[in-house]
Amino acid sequence: MNAIICHIAESIRANDLPAYQRERYPTVQEGEVVRFVDEDFHDVDFDQFVMGFFVFQNCNLDDAKHIYGQPIYFTNSSVRNVDFRGVKAIIEAEDCDFRGIKYDEETQFVYGSGKLAARSRFINCKLDNKTRDFLSQQGVEIN
């Protein structure tokens, strides 16, 4: 499985959707976790790749764009200056650096409202004050 994950990562970095689909399916289906460990996705455009159930552990995603899907998990990763403008995502993040992220009025990290809302969670993450305020106003859980 590790070789498959490496090939999936390579196809994403190359922005090669056909290669991604060949590597991912039928081995890893929608709803199954795709776990990336120690991968460099710096400056990658994820626009073609729905990232639901992607796990990024010890990864570099600095300056990436179009990260979307639900849920997306980040652990001990650098997610600095990522462009989340227009993105809708549920993020579970722990011990990550999200400073400098870009967002706009369409960026959404919470779906629904009240007790049934699906909320992103940022635990022990580095956030600049403006981003922390933006996320808090949406109802994102920040610890």
Side-chain angles (χ1 to χ4, degrees), residues 34-135:
V34 178
R35 182 180 305 276
F36 299 105
V37 180
D38 299 322
E39 292 286 348
D40 185 359
F41 291 106
H42 176 261
D43 205 31
V44 169
D45 185 345
F46 287 92
D47 189 44
Q48 296 189 79
F49 311 98
V50 177
M51 299 170 55
F53 297 97
F54 277 21
V55 175
F56 296 95
Q57 184 176 340
N58 301 318
C59 292
N60 177 1
L61 293 108
D62 294 349
D63 301 305
K65 27 185 174 314
H66 303 118
I67 294 175
Y68 68 99
Q70 62 180 347
I72 306 170
Y73 302 91
F74 299 96
T75 304
N76 197 37
S77 293
S78 185
V79 196
R80 293 186 64 146
N81 304 312
V82 169
D83 189 347
F84 285 107
R85 289 179 286 199
V87 167
K88 292 172 178 42
I90 296 297
I91 294 173
E92 294 279 337
E94 187 170 354
D95 298 320
C96 296
D97 188 347
F98 279 87
R99 290 177 291 180
I101 66 170
K102 299 166 186 74
Y103 50 86
D104 59 17
E105 64 279 349
E106 294 178 32
T107 305
Q108 191 173 342
F109 293 114
V110 175
Y111 296 143
S113 60
K115 291 182 180 180
L116 297 178
R119 300 178 190 284
S120 294
R121 293 183 339 149
F122 291 78
I123 300 168
N124 198 34
C125 292
K126 295 177 184 172
L127 301 163
D128 25 39
N129 291 335
K130 187 177 172 189
T131 301
R132 183 179 302 276
D133 291 345
F134 174 78
L135 295 174

Side-chain angles (χ1 to χ4, degrees), residues 7-8 10-12 14-26 48-49:
H7 291 301
I8 290 171
E10 290 169 10
S11 62
I12 291 171
N15 204 19
D16 187 343
L17 184 60
Y20 168 84
Q21 290 174 326
R22 277 192 309 275
E23 294 298 333
R24 178 164 179 176
Y25 305 108
Q48 296 189 79
F49 311 98

